[in-house]
Amino acid sequence: MSGFIISRRTMLTGSALLLATTAMPALGWTQTPKKGGRLVLAADSEPRNLNPAIVASNGVFFISSKIVETLAEASFEAKDGLAPRLAVSWEGAADGLSATFKLREGVKWHDGKPFTSADVAFSALQIWKPLQNLGRTVFKDLSTVETPDDLTAVFKFAKPTPFQLIRNALPALSSVVPKHIYEVGKIEDNPANNAPIGTGPFKFGEYKAGQYYRLTKNADYWGKDEPYLDEIIYQVLPDRTSAAAALEAEEIQLAAFSAVPLADLDRISKVPGLKVITKGYEGLTYQLVVEINHRRKELADLKVRQAIAHAIDKDFVVKTVFLGYAATATGPVPKNDPQFYTADVPIYAFDVDKANALLDEAGYKKGADGNRFSLRLLPAPYFNETKQFGDYLRQALAAIGIDAQLINNDSAAHIKAVYTDHAFDLAVGPPVFRGDPAISTTILVQSGIPDGVPFSNQGGYKNDALDALITKASETLDTTARTDLYKEFQKQVAADLPLINVAEWSFISVASDKVGNIANNPRWAVSNWADTYLES
């Protein structure tokens, strides 16, 4: 494992950082796992809803994935990059109209009731399809779920649905909740949304607002001899500098999701007893994008969008904003995706002179003050890096005569301004690539998305050819043909620039060297941690 513990002196910057794929071997530890102990870690947010079947997001998964399990989890080694969880096998019909899941025997809910196929059917039909933020797209054609016995669930689709998509969606979108808890009353108002009942290795213990979440060992967990830990405590530390100090003081043993600022990693990597780890996030690639409001006349002009793309020095952004812990982007699929990525797309090299020439050609000449026109620029407030890039982009646009007026909002105001009110010209967004372009990626450029849907095309962009390609890919059953369609999708997006992909990054964990079995799957931070342990 020592080969994966890094310092800034040995860190490979840029694309080399992100080129690890799900084909790489699992990361192992030489120590024999110990049983018992309390793992204390940093949490920088407090999700309002802890039900991952409704809210499929990393903030929710970080806590709830230890409690509520999915049908399968991402894997470095297993076939198709999937390891069994509540399902032990899965198979899609050749006609794309059904998918059969064989379920794990002997699994119990935390309240002692047996887990059965009825729970899977209820979760899929009553939550994933109608309520889940991402499942509404993936499971839109799911018509019924047959349950011929307690350990078999057969998903039936009204239209052919690629099994590749269903398979890729399992780690993030198939959290199963107990039917007997949710079948009475309104699902969205169920108390279990904030005190989850699952089948996972840990049970929900308690939550103290502004202080901590406590999870306790599930003694009846189906995994043999698991979990190893007795307890997990999420210490609420919204200030990232607090996480670094808590690690050094040995008050916590883990800070995941880059809770320690990038600027502190070089120093903290030299602290005895701490390790900095870049693996375990390959399935959670974030993308830094410039969102564009195409209702604005200037921005509806391709030459203007090309000029903005040429004005951005992506290498500088990676080195300065992300301190090398990122890679430059070429399009809507990240470089570290082994299934769909293609480099064969139009590239916009950093070239201020070309950018100015394109704006001149478009008819937007500089005025006496050196400006061509002004834009409202709204950086997403979720990460320091998105806010810092907003500052950089304002300067980059000034160099080509575009006056960008920065508008900084809190999270709620930003989401409303961009995704409901469309009160922006440019925005800086951090969408997540979740292993398949049909999951939270095509929605960024597809037309017809209702107002108010976060992280979607709310810029009014419409391209009939691109829409048709997206629809065709969603209905194509042949894996090779579907993959080729998404490579064409990348080319068309890069050519027409409905948005501008700038960089892609993952996260970094800092942990005590007493924490074992870290980063051993591509979604480790949001997996169940059944095999994570503490050395005594």
Side-chain angles (χ1 to χ4, degrees), residues 83-389:
R85 285 292 188 267
L86 291 177
V88 295
S89 68
W90 40 87
E91 184 177 2
D95 61 6
L97 293 174
S98 68
T100 301
F101 295 88
K102 294 295 184 180
L103 306 178
R104 190 177 296 278
E105 188 174 5
V107 177
K108 293 181 181 179
W109 294 104
H110 292 159
D111 62 5
K113 295 188 181 298
F115 160 77
T116 73
S117 56
D119 298 306
V120 176
F122 179 86
S123 297
L125 292 171
Q126 303 303 318
I127 304 182
W128 305 347
K129 178 180 177 177
L131 300 178
Q132 191 187 81
N133 54 330
L134 302 178
R136 279 182 275 193
T137 298
V138 174
F139 298 105
K140 63 182 176 62
D141 294 320
L142 180 64
S143 56
T144 62
V145 178
E146 296 179 356
T147 55
D149 58 59
D150 284 350
L151 298 178
T152 305
V154 183
F155 286 43
K156 298 282 189 175
F157 297 92
K159 296 180 181 178
T161 300
F163 188 61
Q164 181 190 38
L165 169 60
I166 300 302
R167 196 174 60 214
N168 289 342
L170 293 179
L173 308 190
S174 69
S175 296
V176 183
V177 297
K179 177 183 177 182
H180 65 276
I181 296 295
Y182 280 93
E183 63 184 339
V184 176
K186 192 174 181 180
I187 290 172
E188 298 96 312
D189 297 335
N190 196 298
N193 291 333
N194 292 311
I197 296 171
T199 60
F202 297 94
K203 297 181 178 182
F204 182 82
E206 64 178 329
Y207 164 56
K208 295 289 187 183
Q211 299 181 46
Y212 63 85
Y213 296 86
R214 182 171 65 90
L215 311 185
T216 60
K217 179 177 181 175
N218 175 15
D220 291 327
Y221 185 56
W222 56 261
K224 184 180 179 181
D225 297 326
E226 294 176 335
Y228 297 132
L229 294 168
D230 287 335
E231 199 171 41
I232 299 176
I233 302 292
Y234 292 82
Q235 190 75 42
V236 177
L237 297 171
D239 182 355
R240 294 202 293 177
T241 58
S242 298
L247 279 164
E248 293 182 85
E250 299 184 0
E251 295 169 355
I252 65 173
Q253 297 131 331
L254 172 66
F257 279 112
S258 297
V260 174
L262 298 180
D264 288 344
L265 291 178
D266 184 33
R267 177 186 60 79
I268 210 163
S269 69
K270 301 166 187 172
V271 174
L274 294 180
K275 56 198 173 203
V276 179
I277 306 163
T278 62
K279 305 303 177 184
Y281 298 97
E282 291 79 2
L284 307 173
T285 303
Y286 276 71
Q287 299 173 286
L288 184 70
V289 303
V290 179
E291 298 171 291
I292 298 171
N293 194 337
H294 293 257
R295 301 173 186 84
R296 178 71 185 255
K297 177 175 66 75
E298 296 90 343
L299 298 176
D301 189 324
L302 176 59
K303 287 185 178 180
V304 173
R305 301 197 298 274
Q306 290 173 331
I308 293 173
H310 280 296
I312 299 171
D313 187 343
K314 295 181 182 179
D315 288 328
F316 178 85
V317 170
V318 165
K319 293 174 184 175
T320 305
V321 174
F322 291 95
L323 302 181
Y325 296 99
T328 58
T330 58
V333 174
K335 295 174 181 176
N336 70 336
D337 183 83
Q339 292 184 80
F340 298 105
Y341 175 73
T342 179
D344 183 19
V345 299
I347 301 295
Y348 301 88
F350 175 56
D351 191 330
V352 173
D353 290 339
K354 188 168 186 175
N356 277 307
L358 282 165
L359 290 169
D360 288 340
E361 291 173 21
Y364 299 105
K365 304 292 185 181
K366 287 185 178 179
D369 60 356
N371 291 328
R372 304 173 190 272
F373 52 83
S374 296
L375 296 174
R376 294 167 296 176
L377 171 59
L378 280 65
Y382 320 122
F383 303 107
N384 286 342
E385 291 75 24
T386 53
K387 292 183 284 188
Q388 290 169 7
F389 175 73

Side-chain angles (χ1 to χ4, degrees), residues 15 17 245 279 294 326 330 347 440 466 510:
S15 61
L17 170 61
K279 305 303 177 184
H294 293 257
T330 58
I347 301 295
S440 67
L466 187 60
V510 181

